[in-house]
Amino acid sequence: GESVGLHLPTLSVQEGDNSIINCAYSNSASDYFIWYKQESGKGPQFIIDIRSNMDKRQGQRVTVLLNKTVKHLSLQIAATQPGDSAVYFCAEMGTGNQFYFGTGTSLTVIP
Amino acid sequence: GAGVSQSPSNKVTEKGKDVELRCDPISGHTALYWYRQSLGQGLEFLIYFQGNSAPDKSGLPSDRFSAERTGGSVSTLTIQRTQQEDSAVYLCASSLAGLKETQYFGPGTRLLVL
C-alpha cells in the first residue's frame, strides 16, 4: 500500500536561516504532491504543489524538490520567519481518489 | 473571498449519540473532501464528492459514518452512535475541478465524544 512518511517529526531553526523539511513516499505511481502548513487550531493551508513531470518548483520563499528516483520530496523555506512555525504535511496522490498525508513535521522558529 | 466554512467549530457529545457536521465549500468548487485528523496525526481520507458522480466512500471507517452533498454544494457528515474513538478534528476541503487540484481546507470541527 501507499505510505507517506517524514524523516524528522520536529525541526527547530533560527530566524533567518533556511529550513528543509523532508518527506518520503513509497508509491512510484504517485504523480501529484502537495505541501500544506497547519497552524494550531486551524485547517491545513496549501503552500505549494508539484507534479511528477517536474523536479523543482518555486513559490514565494518556498521551493519544492521532487526526486522520483528515491521517492523523496522536500520543502525548502528561505529566510525562515517566526510566522513559519507550524506543522508541515506532505501529501501524495496516485491513481486513486485519495490524498495520502504524512503525520507532519513540527517546525519551530527560534527568534 | 469566502473560504471553506464548517460548523459547528466544536462539538461535545455523549457516546451513542448521533452528530452532524456541516461543510460549505467555496462557491463553484465541484469537488469536496472530508478528512479526519486525530491528535498529532496526519489526515485520514474519509469521502470524496465530485460533481454529480457517485461519491468515493472508500475511506469511511465504518457504516456509522455517512455523508451527503446536496445540490452539489453543502455537505453533511453524519456519525451515528458515536464512540470515544470518533473524537478528532473533522476537516472538509474543496477544489475547483477535483482530483489533483489544490484543495482548500476549512477550519475543521473538533468533535469530542465523552
Side-chain angles (χ1 to χ4, degrees), chain A residues 21-63:
Chain A
I21 301 171
N22 296 303
C23 183
Y25 63 96
S26 60
N27 185 359
S28 56
S30 292
D31 58 3
Y32 182 53
F33 305 86
I34 299 180
W35 279 101
Y36 284 96
K37 171 186 179 182
Q38 187 173 27
E39 297 174 281
S40 180
K42 297 182 180 180
Q45 177 187 1
F46 171 87
I47 301 174
I48 192 167
D49 61 356
I50 189 168
R51 299 183 191 273
S52 60
N53 60 351
M54 302 175 69
D55 297 324
K56 178 179 179 179
R57 192 166 187 218
Q58 289 184 291
Q60 186 178 11
R61 283 201 306 118
V62 294
T63 300

Side-chain angles (χ1 to χ4, degrees), chain A residues 31-32 34 36 38 40-46 49 51 89 93-99 101-104, chain B residues 33 35 37 40-45 48 56 58-59 89 91 99-108 110:
Chain A
D31 58 3
Y32 182 53
I34 299 180
Y36 284 96
Q38 187 173 27
S40 180
K42 297 182 180 180
Q45 177 187 1
F46 171 87
D49 61 356
R51 299 183 191 273
F89 294 91
M93 176 178 278
T95 55
N97 291 332
Q98 305 184 22
F99 275 100
F101 288 79
T103 55
Chain B
Y33 294 79
Y35 295 90
Q37 185 176 32
Q41 300 297 313
L43 278 68
E44 174 190 4
F45 167 80
Y48 163 64
D56 178 352
S58 60
V89 176
L91 290 157
L99 296 178
K100 301 179 184 177
E101 296 289 339
T102 302
Q103 295 184 20
Y104 297 88
F105 281 82
R110 286 150 189 79

Side-chain angles (χ1 to χ4, degrees), chain A residues 4 20 38-39 53 61 72 77-78 107-108:
Chain A
V4 177
I20 300 177
Q38 187 173 27
E39 297 174 281
N53 60 351
R61 283 201 306 118
H72 183 267
I77 305 173
L107 175 65
T108 300

Side-chain angles (χ1 to χ4, degrees), chain B residues 43-108:
Chain B
L43 278 68
E44 174 190 4
F45 167 80
L46 296 177
I47 189 168
Y48 163 64
F49 295 91
Q50 173 55 48
N52 296 321
S53 302
D56 178 352
K57 303 179 181 180
S58 60
L60 295 178
S62 77
D63 58 7
R64 296 186 296 105
F65 288 72
S66 63
E68 293 182 342
R69 189 178 185 193
T70 55
S73 181
V74 172
S75 178
T76 302
L77 177 69
T78 301
I79 309 173
Q80 296 178 308
R81 304 181 303 282
T82 52
Q83 303 295 312
Q84 289 182 332
E85 60 263 29
D86 299 335
S87 297
V89 176
Y90 289 83
L91 290 157
C92 174
S94 70
S95 66
L96 185 59
L99 296 178
K100 301 179 184 177
E101 296 289 339
T102 302
Q103 295 184 20
Y104 297 88
F105 281 82

